[in-house]
Amino acid sequence: LTANLPIVQGKFAVRLLASTEHNPGWVYYTGIGKEDVNSADIQLYRAKALWIASDSFSASLMLQHQENDFDGKNWAQAD
């Protein structure tokens, strides 16, 4: 989901972004009966602002926050 918000036309604008992703996992621990032990949920939030002060000067600022929730590792160690 993305939103572009022009605050002052041609001078100042803000872009907001929110994203979520679910990876179902593919590692199965058959010995203990667990499936998809390496699944993951990822959320991303970002805000970016652009200020055009003049023809020769502009400034931008970006803030980003990401949350990762992993159920396990993407590898297994052989005994």
Side-chain angles (χ1 to χ4, degrees):
L1 177 64
T2 302
N4 292 315
L5 308 169
I7 307 299
V8 178
Q9 191 66 35
K11 294 290 181 185
F12 184 71
V14 175
R15 174 180 286 179
L16 303 173
L17 177 134
S19 173
T20 184
E21 178 181 341
H22 174 73
N23 297 318
W26 63 88
V27 173
Y28 301 101
Y29 289 157
T30 55
I32 58 174
K34 292 189 117 184
E35 296 182 356
D36 300 333
V37 296
N38 65 328
S39 64
D41 292 304
I42 301 168
Q43 296 178 348
L44 173 69
Y45 307 99
R46 181 169 46 218
K48 187 171 184 181
L50 174 64
W51 173 43
I52 302 173
S54 67
D55 289 339
S56 60
F57 180 79
S58 65
S60 65
L61 173 68
M62 183 176 76
L63 301 172
Q64 180 170 307
H65 176 74
Q66 182 170 335
E67 296 179 12
N68 301 318
D69 182 19
F70 295 102
D71 288 337
K73 300 188 180 341
N74 290 332
W75 54 272
Q77 187 173 7
D79 290 333

